[in-house]
Amino acid sequence: GMDGFSLILAKAGQEFQATRKMSLERVSYKNGLLDVSLFVADLQQLDQLKQRLSDNAKLSVDIHSATAKDNRVEARLRIQ
């Protein structure tokens, strides 16, 4: 069977792949929590991603920070 990390990454990964112009920067996993740093086009896209992770992948998402940088948004998410 898949461990917690593989499972959560597989579920989240599908939604990440469906997000155009998104790039993952950093991923770490600890105690059932997936911490992700990523770049998205804008805040609207970040919001849509959060919604999809919640609706489709049934994951709970906290957005820790979202910073505009070079015409895109750098975001840190905690997913479980």
Side-chain angles (χ1 to χ4, degrees):
M2 289 208 280
D3 60 20
F5 174 66
S6 306
L7 197 62
I8 202 167
L9 200 57
K11 288 189 340 187
Q14 283 188 313
E15 303 310 324
F16 291 157
Q17 282 175 343
T19 306
R20 285 164 14 108
K21 293 184 184 169
M22 194 208 95
S23 62
L24 277 179
E25 196 183 10
R26 215 174 32 247
V27 176
S28 64
Y29 181 81
K30 195 173 156 190
N31 303 330
L33 297 171
L34 189 69
D35 279 310
V36 180
S37 296
L38 50 80
F39 285 103
V40 287
D42 51 37
L43 289 171
Q44 186 185 359
Q45 192 182 44
L46 179 61
D47 213 47
Q48 289 166 349
L49 174 62
K50 180 180 177 178
Q51 199 65 49
R52 284 207 313 274
L53 286 167
S54 163
D55 293 349
N56 302 350
K58 304 287 184 264
L59 295 166
S60 92
V61 183
D62 283 318
I63 296 174
H64 275 250
S65 66
T67 316
K69 205 182 200 176
D70 306 326
N71 293 329
R72 46 186 194 164
V73 173
E74 182 179 19
R76 291 185 48 228
L77 279 58
R78 174 162 284 180
I79 301 170
Q80 58 183 327

